[in-house]
Amino acid sequence: MNVLIDNREVFLEGFKNTGILFIFSAFFSLILGTIVAGMRVSPAPAMRAAGTFYVNAVRNTPLTLILAFFALGYPKLGLPDINFMNAAIIGLSLYTATYVSEAIRSGINTVSVGQSEAARAIGLPFMQTLSLIVLPQAFRSVVPPLFSVFIALLKNTTVAAGFSVIEAGSIRSTLSDLGEPLLPGLLWVALIFVVLVLGILSPLQRYLEKKWRVAR
Amino acid sequence: MTNPAPVPALVELKAVNKHYGALHVLQDINLQVARGEVLVVIGPSGSGKSTLCRTINRLETIDDGSITIEGKELPKEGKSLASLRADVGMVFQSFNLFAHKTILENVTLGPIKVKGMNKSDADKLAMGLLERVGVGHQAAKFPAQLSGGQQQRVAIARALAMKPKVMLFDEPTSALDPEMINEVLDVMVELAKEGMTMVVVTHEMGFARKAADRVIFMADGQIVEEAAPQEFFTNPQSARAKDFLSKILTN
């Protein structure tokens, strides 16, 4: 307990940045993942191919490499500078979006073909069929897998510690520098993650599942 | 006796072919539907009658031939296809009401999103149509809370809300419990009386007798026989049609 109280500044700063990384990455990956899922069910072959390529290329690349690219490779490209925090958000979003896209695509497949046929039959074009009819129903059935993706994202934020972002994953090394014992620090970090998942994400998942439960 | 009236065809299919892999599901189909005509398509399952119906608003593509509506060829895709579909109402076997929207929203969605109608006008239009098909008091419910017959009547109202030039019915009563079939057929008979152009794929011979101007009988992807209903039911010409009728008219 002393480790936590004595170093509460370190813990606070770490988890604050973890929160920022998580919230922005979850937001952007949800948007990007939805767009990519839409591309993958598009009637246009070029869109489908682009979506499939993106998912396969990024999903099969280790997150560490993606973050390493944004932290180490990107600055050498001569493009506008981004700080490590933003670089981590971009990397995490691009990576997580592939998983979000696959979860949503599986949800799209649970919506019966008749729903989109009926939408097309009243004259809705593809984009509106997707956004008004298919996606709202698809989201309902992907709440559980989507939350698995976001729980993984929350834990994946710690990889950013390796690339100069001060967050929960870097608390341990900060504590070592301060001469604190290793194990209690690590245990506290792990415990706080469990509390975040069980205390925030799980109740949110239960709430959404209940709210969106619809008879078919 | 079987000559169509000399009015320009609203829907015309010329030399239409379609394959599902090796199966030649539509074989050189030629067909005209006149404005105001009620055409009933019957035939054994697998004869291609549903596929034929679905090609008319391009929910099924065709391999070759042409399909025109008011003389205009069906667009291949995109916005122009969407706007053509708005003019062709479709009622499905499995209703396909939007499960996450209320009955009222199911009917107003097309007018609002496709035709740009404002919400209060769309609500008024939709309520009128829902009253007409006898489900006005269910407007605030969700589709799953309604019986099959009620859902199908809502589906008809949803199609009518687009003020279509022609209505396609793809086995509209086949998924219904027997006691609900008539409530749907009654609505369809009313529509026919009001002069709606209709293409109806059905097994309901009673409807064909009562409301059809013309019956076509399909088997194995071909139009085998084409006649006025009275003529077709009392004096079928082909062996296939005789066989089919003997099987379904016994009960």
Side-chain angles (χ1 to χ4, degrees):
Chain A
M1 191 53 101
N2 282 341
V3 177
L4 183 64
I5 293 167
D6 292 349
N7 301 286
R8 59 183 177 280
E9 295 297 323
V10 178
F11 277 90
L12 270 178
E13 172 75 4
F15 275 100
K16 188 190 90 188
N17 286 334
T18 292
I20 291 171
L21 279 176
F22 172 74
I23 286 169
F24 281 98
S25 304
F27 178 75
F28 290 125
S29 62
L30 189 59
I31 290 173
L32 182 60
T34 305
I35 292 170
V36 173
M39 287 169 70
R40 295 202 68 182
V41 297
S42 153
M47 296 287 265
R48 283 203 301 276
T52 308
F53 173 78
Y54 168 69
V55 169
N56 285 337
V58 176
R59 192 171 54 159
N60 294 326
T61 308
L63 177 60
T64 328
L65 284 187
I66 292 173
L67 291 183
F69 167 78
F70 281 100
L72 309 171
Y74 179 87
K76 301 212 169 99
L77 295 179
L79 297 170
D81 265 357
I82 41 175
N83 64 32
F84 285 130
M85 186 71 161
N86 289 341
I89 289 172
I90 293 171
L92 283 166
S93 301
L94 289 175
Y95 178 79
T96 310
T98 61
Y99 291 90
V100 170
S101 138
E102 288 298 271
I104 290 176
R105 196 166 64 97
S106 73
I108 289 173
N109 291 338
T110 67
V111 180
S112 87
V113 173
Q115 293 285 309
S116 63
E117 283 186 347
R120 285 149 67 199
I122 59 169
L124 291 176
F126 172 74
M127 282 303 290
Q128 286 189 322
T129 298
L130 194 63
S131 63
L132 297 173
I133 304 301
V134 178
L135 282 178
Q137 297 186 62
F139 273 117
R140 284 153 205 232
S141 54
V142 298
V143 171
L146 216 45
F147 271 79
S148 291
V149 171
F150 287 141
I151 289 168
L153 168 65
L154 179 63
K155 296 181 294 178
N156 282 342
T157 55
T158 56
V159 178
F163 301 94
S164 314
V165 179
I166 307 295
E167 44 74 53
S170 61
I171 290 173
R172 179 205 51 83
S173 61
T174 312
L175 291 183
S176 310
D177 293 346
L178 296 171
E180 293 283 0
L182 198 61
L183 194 57
L186 269 182
L187 286 176
W188 277 115
V189 171
L191 187 66
I192 295 174
F193 270 110
V194 170
V195 169
L196 287 179
V197 170
L198 291 182
I200 298 176
L201 288 180
S202 297
L204 184 61
Q205 172 178 351
R206 272 200 300 279
Y207 169 75
L208 290 177
E209 279 184 41
K210 213 166 150 185
K211 183 175 169 215
W212 285 343
R213 187 162 47 208
V214 160
R216 285 191 230 250
Chain B
M1 181 171 273
T2 62
N3 287 347
V7 283
L10 181 61
V11 180
E12 183 163 23
L13 287 79
K14 278 189 202 151
V16 168
N17 279 287
K18 179 177 178 69
H19 295 79
Y20 284 131
L23 181 67
H24 197 171
V25 66
L26 293 179
Q27 303 179 14
D28 196 32
I29 300 289
N30 291 286
L31 182 67
Q32 294 191 337
V33 185
R35 198 177 301 274
E37 188 178 26
V38 177
L39 175 72
V40 165
V41 185
I42 63 176
S45 66
S47 60
K49 54 192 192 307
S50 276
T51 308
L52 173 73
C53 182
R54 289 162 54 87
T55 58
I56 297 175
N57 67 354
R58 213 178 155 80
L59 284 179
E60 298 284 350
T61 57
I62 55 176
D63 297 340
D64 52 66
S66 80
I67 300 178
T68 55
I69 290 179
E70 289 187 321
K72 276 183 297 206
E73 182 116 13
L74 285 191
K76 291 262 180 294
E77 54 196 31
K79 282 258 186 296
S80 47
L81 176 59
S83 69
L84 174 127
R85 282 179 175 145
D87 288 339
V88 180
M90 177 107 191
V91 175
F92 300 86
Q93 179 176 350
S94 48
F95 330 135
N96 294 343
L97 294 182
F98 305 131
H100 62 306
K101 300 216 171 273
T102 64
I103 296 307
L104 185 68
E105 288 166 346
N106 263 274
V107 182
T108 58
L109 185 78
I112 292 173
K113 296 294 178 183
V114 178
K115 298 211 153 163
M117 192 181 277
N118 70 45
K119 192 177 175 307
S120 70
D121 286 351
D123 283 352
K124 219 177 291 169
L125 169 73
M127 279 313 296
L129 288 167
L130 289 172
E131 298 288 352
R132 189 169 138 197
V133 299
V135 285
H137 54 295
Q138 315 272 25
K141 292 187 179 169
F142 283 91
Q145 296 171 287
L146 269 58
S147 73
Q150 290 170 331
Q151 288 191 52
Q152 193 62 301
R153 285 182 280 150
V154 174
I156 293 173
R158 176 175 70 181
L160 287 175
M162 298 305 290
K163 302 202 176 8
K165 292 173 181 149
V166 51
M167 290 272 285
L168 309 174
F169 293 84
D170 183 7
E171 303 203 25
T173 57
S174 298
L176 294 175
D177 292 335
E179 76 271 22
M180 294 172 182
I181 289 175
N182 279 331
E183 63 190 56
V184 172
L185 290 180
D186 288 346
V187 171
M188 290 168 60
V189 170
E190 278 304 308
L191 267 183
K193 276 189 195 150
E194 287 163 22
M196 174 62 76
T197 309
M198 296 162 67
V199 175
V200 184
V201 176
T202 188
H203 293 292
E204 291 300 323
M205 299 305 142
F207 175 80
R209 283 174 192 273
K210 205 186 298 181
D213 296 309
R214 188 160 50 118
V215 172
I216 62 174
F217 174 74
M218 286 187 76
D220 301 325
Q222 292 170 324
I223 296 178
V224 176
E225 205 161 328
E226 184 170 347
Q230 199 54 33
E231 169 105 355
F232 177 76
F233 288 113
T234 54
N235 187 20
Q237 301 296 312
S238 64
R240 290 297 307 262
K242 282 177 191 162
D243 181 50
F244 179 75
L245 287 175
S246 73
K247 279 177 186 151
I248 59 164
L249 292 182
T250 46
N251 48 5

